[in-house]
């Protein structure tokens, strides 16, 4: 039925001609002479195959001659069914559907053998103009085209009179049946796409690849939620910046025109763009993009406390006077529909069915508009999308598998993946690697360093460098443990100076950092390097696993359409005793001959596990774990002590003027890093340290990630002695 519909619509002499239809070409030529321009091309199905596979879509005589020549060649080497198969599987049918099987799924959610005659005719009407005859966008025009094809099928004796009548009476049921993902994770999806293209080039788009990722769906959903909540909480602390825009209204705009205006603001907000139609002292009357009219009361405008500057917020308004005016474009979120009986027309107008709002009969639509303005159908709350951004990366320390990743507040607003692309200064978040280098070179958690002023003179600097602690105070001789959990800058600088910069860099770069990104001066101790959140998260994962080198990876395997594995990740794995035994067994298997393999049933090609190499002294890493747990017990990350887990260690990080805020933390099973800042670096506000801006995001995520999981502490290695210190 479907093939008959296409032949009736596109080329009813398909089985009679040898690639070109002389009658069709003559008709096209006559139309060209009469109209003075190309109206139809007289193309046969074979000519369309030639065009779709080998030529461009430009409408020129040279291309048409090439099309005719190729069609004759195709007919000489392929059978009619083969040509028809190529055509039906290549033709573009709108809504990103190439081929009839895709179109059946997109428009009807069916397989080809499940389509009705009317539905087949509807799809057959699309090649002529996929947008003009799209049954979703233009159902009336598409139905006219469908019925014309049904008439053609009847005239060509392809269907009976009864079938024709029944098909024409069938209502249009097309809708957009796109696959609904279990989880929308656009930053993850884009990274997976990039990996597939890296491996297979443009074939990645056409060969039906299935890409499997390491991300956990529950953790991924929580990562995205935590980033959104953390940024909105930050934004709420800093006040309302005002409407997105203001447009001049003359009162004649239709709802459709207002929707068109609002649609242009979609890329600027995660919420619903809305137009203020009227502003009174205690209420905003608004029209939203989804066609709803409603109001925002003062109680629902708690976000309206005005932004004065990054460090100062005004008082919540007692009225709306002077804050909003007609024509303002704002961001809003629907609260409820106030339980009123109403319907919505195709134009987006809301019509009431309550007795008190019954309009006079002489002008139903005008009266309903007046009723809408008199009765607030929907209740909204004022919202604002943050300007600040964030990233979260969660890694399995054992092998580097990425469990969750969020590259920003909203992918549709900004596709820039801050987790992998943004090089930012980590500040004190980087001190973990400096202190580990010190522990490896003989320092202990009890070693004393003088927390006292330092002045550096450098001919390359305009003024002397006088680094300070965040408190502006100095505390004298301080143990490394306390200096770390209180994040004392002067101790870190003196420590790095005593270790030697080059010596420390040699140890730090083992954690996967690019040496070119690391400054070769004492500012390294304060995290002045430009490093991506992914690199920081990977480094912390290597600390979490006891000091073994791993590489973050997202794509675990890629299969073709037949389920055959084309690519499989081969990560470094931190090996315990069971792993080492398994590796030994696999190595033994590799040494046996093929004949022995056939007798024993072993696979001589069984791969060995790629054991993660050790990059840091296990004793130094164990001591660092202890120090990092103190950050949460009694240091800058003590807010996380409310999680009541004794296996967590971490470190805050804040750069100069609070331009970047960080928190990275872990147990031995999961390591997670969070970053908050503006894309164009500027201060987050004087009180927005890592403990306030980034740590809450980390905590919200880790509370879910660690729920119902046992404690996971690093096992104490040999060669560790605990000694009480006389404070």
């Amino acid at each position: 039925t479907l093939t008959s519909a296409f032949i009736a619509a596109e080329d009813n002499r398909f089985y009679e001609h040898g690639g070109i239809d002389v009658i069709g070409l003559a008709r096209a030529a006559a139309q060209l002479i009469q109209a003075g321009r190309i109206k139809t091309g007289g193309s046969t199905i074979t000519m369309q195959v030639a065009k779709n596979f080998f030529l461009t879509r430009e409408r020129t005589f040279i291309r048409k001659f090439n099309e005719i020549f190729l069609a004759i060649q195709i007919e000489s080497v392929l059978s009619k069914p083969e040509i028809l198969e190529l055509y039906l599987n290549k033709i573009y049918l709108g809504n990103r559907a190439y081929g009839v099987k895709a179109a059946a799924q997109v428009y009807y959610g069916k397989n080809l053998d499940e389509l009705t005659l009317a539905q087949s005719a509807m799809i057959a009407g699309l090649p002529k103009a996929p947008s003009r005859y799209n049954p979703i966008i233009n159902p009336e025009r598409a139905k006219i085209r469908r019925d014309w094809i049904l008439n053609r099928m009847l005239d060509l004796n392809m269907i009976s009179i009864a079938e024709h009548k029944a098909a024409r009476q069938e209502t249009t049921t097309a809708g957009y049946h796109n696959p609904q993902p279990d989880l929308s994770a656009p930053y993850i999806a884009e990274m997976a796409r990039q990996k597939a293209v890296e491996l297979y080039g443009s074939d990645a788009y056409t060969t039906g690849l299935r890409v499997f990722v390491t991300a956990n769906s529950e953790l991924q959903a929580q990562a995205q939620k935590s980033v959104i909540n953390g940024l909105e909480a930050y934004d709420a602390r800093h006040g309302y910046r005002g409407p997105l825009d203001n447009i001049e209204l003359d009162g004649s705009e239709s709802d459709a025109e207002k929707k068109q205006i609002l649609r242009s603001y979609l890329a600027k907000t995660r919420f619903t763009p809305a137009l203020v139609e009227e502003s009174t002292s205690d209420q905003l009357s608004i029209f939203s993009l989804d066609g709803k009219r409603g109001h925002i009361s003062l109680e629902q405008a708690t976000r309206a406390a005005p932004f004065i500057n990054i460090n100062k917020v005004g008082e919540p308004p007692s009225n709306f006077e002077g804050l909003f005016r007609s024509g303002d474009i704002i961001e809003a979120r629907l609260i409820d529909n106030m339980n009123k009986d109403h319907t919505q027309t195709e134009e987006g107008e809301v019509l009431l069915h309550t007795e008190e709002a019954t309009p006079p009969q002489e002008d139903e639509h005008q009266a309903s508009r007046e009723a809408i303005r008199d009765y607030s159908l929907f209740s909204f709350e004022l919202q604002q999308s943050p300007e600040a951004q964030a990233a979260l990366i969660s890694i399995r320390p054992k092998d580097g598998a990425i469990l969750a990743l969020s590259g920003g507040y909203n992918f549709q607003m900004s596709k820039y993946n801050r987790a992998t692309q943004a090089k930012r200064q980590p500040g004190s978040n980087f001190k973990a690697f400096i202190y580990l280098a010190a522990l490896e070179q003989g320092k202990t958690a009890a070693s004393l360093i003088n927390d006292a002023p330092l002045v550096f003179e450098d001919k390359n600097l305009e003024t002397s460098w006088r680094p300070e602690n965040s408190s502006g105070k100095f505390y004298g001789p301080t143990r490394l443990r306390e200096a770390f959990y209180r994040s004392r800058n002067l101790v870190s600088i003196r420590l790095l100076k005593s270790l030697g910069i080059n010596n420390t860099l040699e140890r730090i770069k083992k954690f996967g950092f690019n040496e070119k990104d690391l400054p070769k001066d004492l500012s390294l101790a304060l995290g002045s390097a430009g490093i991506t959140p992914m690199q920081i998260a990977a480094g912390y994962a290597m600390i979490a696993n006891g000091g073994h080198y791993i590489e973050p990876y997202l794509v675990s395997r890629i299969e073709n359409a037949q389920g055959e594995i084309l690519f499989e990740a081969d990560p470094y794995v931190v090996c315990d005793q069971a792993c080492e035994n398994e590796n030994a067994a696999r190595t033994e298997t590799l040494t046996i001959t093929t004949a022995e393999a056939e007798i024993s049933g072993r696979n001589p090609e069984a791969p060995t596990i790629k054991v993660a190499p050790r990059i840091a002294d296990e004793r130094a890493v164990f001591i660092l774990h202890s120090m990092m747990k103190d950050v949460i017990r009694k240091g800058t990350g003590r807010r996380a002590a409310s999680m009541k887990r004794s296996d967590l260690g971490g470190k805050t990080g804040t750069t100069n003027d609070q331009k970047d805020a960080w928190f990275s933390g872990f147990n031995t099973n999961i390591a997670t890093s969070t970053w908050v800042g503006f894309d164009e670096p500027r201060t987050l506000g004087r009180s927005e340290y890592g403990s306030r801006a980034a740590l809450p995001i980390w905590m919200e995520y880790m509370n879910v990630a660690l729920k119902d999981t046992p404690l996971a502490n690093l096992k104490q290695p040999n060669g560790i002695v605990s000694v009480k210190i006389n404070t």
Side-chain angles (χ1 to χ4, degrees), residues 376-429:
S376 294
L377 292 180
F378 294 93
S379 182
F380 289 83
E381 62 182 4
L382 184 68
Q383 286 295 336
Q384 178 174 262
S385 295
E387 290 182 341
Q389 288 289 350
L392 183 152
I393 309 97
S394 189
I395 294 176
R396 186 166 62 206
K398 180 180 180 180
D399 61 357
I402 296 173
L403 301 175
L405 181 146
S406 177
Y409 177 68
N410 183 277
F411 185 78
Q412 298 308 317
M413 292 171 64
S414 171
K415 296 173 175 57
Y416 180 53
N417 189 340
R418 294 148 192 90
T420 59
Q421 295 175 295
K423 285 191 173 184
R424 306 299 292 238
Q425 291 184 343
S428 296
N429 210 232

Side-chain angles (χ1 to χ4, degrees), residues 167 241 378 416 444 504 552 704:
R241 297 182 297 276
F378 294 93
Y416 180 53
T444 74
T504 304
V704 173

Side-chain angles (χ1 to χ4, degrees), residues 129-357:
S131 58
R132 186 186 308 163
Y133 297 116
N134 189 308
I136 300 173
I137 301 172
N138 297 307
E140 293 181 0
R141 186 177 288 173
K143 184 176 182 297
I144 293 171
R145 174 75 175 162
R146 180 202 73 177
D147 290 347
W148 178 84
I149 292 172
L150 290 171
N151 292 342
R152 292 281 295 157
M153 294 179 75
L154 180 63
D155 294 341
L156 295 168
N157 296 318
M158 292 177 171
I159 56 175
S160 66
I161 295 175
E163 288 173 325
H164 173 263
K165 182 179 179 180
R168 287 200 53 149
Q169 290 176 346
E170 188 174 309
T171 58
T172 302
T173 59
Y176 191 44
H177 295 77
N178 60 319
Q180 294 299 320
D182 295 329
L183 172 69
S184 176
Y187 288 106
I188 288 279
E190 173 59 15
M191 290 172 66
R193 182 197 69 82
Q194 290 175 4
K195 181 66 174 180
V197 171
E198 174 192 325
L199 292 172
Y200 306 107
S202 59
D203 288 345
Y205 298 111
T206 58
T207 53
L209 299 180
R210 301 175 68 201
V211 182
F212 294 81
V213 297
T214 58
N216 176 289
S217 59
E218 181 183 2
L219 298 187
Q220 179 62 32
Q222 185 58 48
Q224 294 170 180
K225 180 181 177 182
S226 299
V227 165
I228 289 171
N229 290 346
L231 286 173
E232 290 179 359
Y234 163 82
D235 194 69
R237 293 195 292 270
H238 292 271
Y240 185 65
R241 297 182 297 276
L244 296 174
D245 202 355
N246 180 273
I247 59 170
E248 293 295 329
L249 298 175
D250 60 18
S252 65
E253 296 86 1
S254 67
D255 286 354
E257 289 172 328
K258 291 175 182 177
K259 282 185 179 181
Q260 188 63 34
I261 292 169
L262 292 171
R263 197 168 287 116
S264 65
Y265 294 90
L266 273 174
K268 298 180 180 180
T269 174
R270 192 179 75 87
F271 302 101
T272 303
L275 175 67
V276 175
E277 295 186 312
E278 185 180 2
S279 175
T280 64
S281 62
D282 62 351
Q283 182 172 289
L284 300 178
S285 298
I286 67 171
F287 175 79
S288 69
L289 175 61
D290 50 7
K292 296 181 173 66
R293 276 192 168 82
H295 74 274
I296 297 175
S297 66
L298 278 170
E299 291 76 19
Q300 281 122 26
T302 55
R303 293 288 282 101
F307 170 91
I308 297 175
N309 60 51
I310 196 64
N311 296 312
K312 190 174 182 180
V313 180
E315 293 295 322
S318 57
N319 60 67
F320 286 131
E321 292 178 3
L323 295 179
F324 300 95
R325 58 195 173 104
S326 176
D328 279 346
I329 307 295
I330 63 171
E331 302 171 74
R333 177 157 53 192
L334 182 68
I335 299 176
D336 58 53
N337 63 5
M338 303 184 69
N339 299 317
K340 291 192 178 181
D341 184 20
H342 64 277
T343 58
Q344 187 169 319
T345 69
E346 290 183 3
E347 294 76 29
E349 297 172 336
V350 181
L351 306 179
L352 299 183
H353 299 298
T354 52
E355 287 185 11
E356 60 270 29

